[in-house]
Amino acid sequence: MPVHPTPRPDGIHLGITPTCWTNDDFPLIGDDIPMEQCLSEIALAGFEGCSIGHTFPTDPDALTAAMHLRGLSVSEPWVSTYFTVPDGSARTARELLRVLEFLNRFNADGPPVRTTTIGVAEFGHSVHLQQLSLRSNKPEFTDEQWADLCEGLNKLGEIIAGQGFTLAYHPHMGTGVQTERDVDRLMRDTDPRHVGLLIDTGHLTWAGADLTALMERHRDRIAHVHLKNVRGGVRADRTLADGSFREYIEAGIFTVPGDSDGDIDFDTVLKVLGPGEAYRGWLVVEAEQDPRGGHPPLYYAQTAHAYLARALDPN
């Protein structure tokens, strides 16, 4: 079993998503990298866990064995919600049931870190999987759709809480909850007892949010964190002005904390977050990159872990 000697504040766990190796939104990106390589390199880089990638086995026993072999836990499973479209609630409920069944089996086998958070995002009317301009085609919900979304999330969060988990909402480029204003409305109109916030530094920064102000404003709602860096040069590239999400991904819009190509000040992000004090839980590195460009995924994983080891060292 891998050893994780990195000093860190109490209650903080370091994870990374498999999207650094294979992309879940666009499965052909990195599809030649086997799950075994991904998990082994996650452990080798020093991380404690990861989310569940699309190349991972769907059988809980097989996945549990593969992750326990490497001393890894599940940082957060995922449920896509569809509350703003017809019949979307039924589809969401089926997906939630599948995830809860998996989590109950996975946690029963005693992972090093028990999974407690479920990430969600509303993909009704989303354009992030389409070859459409992100700039021109952002979904804008009607008041009725906002009401349906918030009511659905409240009910979903209550069910999730009843099973011992926390719902964490993930703002995402190309969806109806993308901007700082969108997040403020979602937080205002949902029940703080059942709907938490997943801070994704990359998506929020790309969407133009004042990241530290947003985090301070909703500090009590932060339930999970994705640490994703943004390459400002790619974001400002005029040839991508009408680009789709995939085109930006392939151009390298995202990278990891600690990469000098990225523009996000993670020292300030961590200071505002207050790991071990104001915030306890997972810090999950994420960079949806094409592994065929730049350095290999292990390089970025090690770069991010080295940065976090320095930034979180209490000594």
Side-chain angles (χ1 to χ4, degrees):
M1 180 179 295
V3 177
H4 306 288
T6 307
R8 64 179 68 95
D10 290 342
I12 294 298
H13 304 289
L14 301 184
I16 191 168
T17 68
T19 57
C20 297
W21 286 261
T22 59
N23 194 286
D24 286 339
D25 289 329
F26 311 107
L28 294 181
I29 298 177
D31 66 336
D32 58 324
I33 299 177
M35 178 268 291
E36 291 82 4
Q37 176 186 336
C38 174
L39 288 180
S40 293
E41 292 185 350
I42 286 172
L44 179 62
F47 290 98
E48 298 171 84
C50 62
S51 57
I52 303 170
H54 73 276
T55 63
F56 290 15
T58 56
D59 176 65
D61 294 334
L63 180 56
T64 298
M67 296 191 73
H68 283 193
L69 177 66
R70 298 162 175 86
L72 298 175
S73 302
V74 173
S75 56
E76 84 276 16
W78 180 265
V79 174
S80 299
T81 68
Y82 298 92
F83 293 121
T84 61
V85 296
D87 299 323
S89 294
R91 176 175 178 174
T92 301
R94 290 194 299 271
E95 177 64 11
L96 175 63
L97 179 61
R98 183 190 66 80
V99 169
L100 288 175
E101 288 176 347
F102 164 79
L103 284 179
N104 287 330
R105 289 180 63 181
F106 187 86
N107 282 336
D109 287 330
V113 182
R114 187 180 183 276
T115 305
T116 60
T117 304
I118 297 176
V120 309
E122 175 61 24
F123 283 169
H125 303 283
S126 171
V127 300
H128 77 288
L129 297 182
Q130 302 181 50
Q131 288 300 312
L132 297 174
S133 166
L134 288 179
R135 180 180 60 85
S136 305
N137 294 283
K138 178 194 177 296
E140 295 293 345
F141 295 150
T142 65
D143 287 343
E144 182 180 1
Q145 288 169 335
W146 270 108
D148 289 341
L149 172 60
C150 293
E151 181 182 359
L153 289 173
N154 285 338
K155 291 179 179 178
L156 194 73
E158 186 174 7
I159 293 169
I160 288 173
Q163 296 293 315
F165 303 99
T166 299
L167 181 153
Y169 191 92
H170 184 320
H172 197 291
M173 290 296 293
T175 73
V177 184
Q178 169 180 302
T179 67
E180 186 172 356
R181 181 179 178 184
D182 296 333
V183 173
D184 286 343
R185 181 167 184 171
L186 188 80
M187 293 295 98
R188 183 191 72 210
D189 293 346
T190 53
D191 189 336
R193 295 174 301 171
H194 302 310
V195 179
L197 177 61
L198 192 161
I199 290 291
D200 186 298
T201 58
H203 282 275
L204 288 167
T205 297
W206 186 4
D210 183 334
L211 186 58
T212 55
L214 185 147
M215 291 171 61
E216 289 173 340
R217 195 158 59 247
H218 301 298
R219 179 184 301 278
D220 293 342
R221 304 289 291 273
I222 299 174
H224 201 69
V225 178
H226 284 176
L227 298 178
K228 182 186 296 177
N229 213 340
V230 172
R231 291 185 173 98
V234 176
R235 183 184 177 197
D237 187 345
R238 295 182 63 182
T239 66
L240 288 169
D242 295 319
S244 66
F245 187 62
R246 177 167 188 160
E247 287 168 335
Y248 273 102
I249 293 294
E250 291 177 336
I253 182 72
F254 292 136
T255 185
V256 297
D259 184 349
S260 60
D261 286 347
D263 289 350
I264 295 179
D265 178 1
F266 284 99
D267 288 348
T268 298
V269 168
L270 292 173
K271 182 178 180 181
V272 172
L273 185 64
E277 298 175 358
Y279 175 78
R280 292 194 172 204
W282 286 91
L283 298 176
V284 180
V285 171
E286 187 175 23
E288 299 174 59
Q289 299 193 98
D290 188 337
R292 295 167 296 187
H295 300 287
L298 179 59
Y299 169 88
Y300 289 108
Q302 291 174 323
T303 296
H305 191 275
Y307 165 73
L308 289 171
R310 294 192 302 271
L312 296 173
D313 190 343
N315 300 317

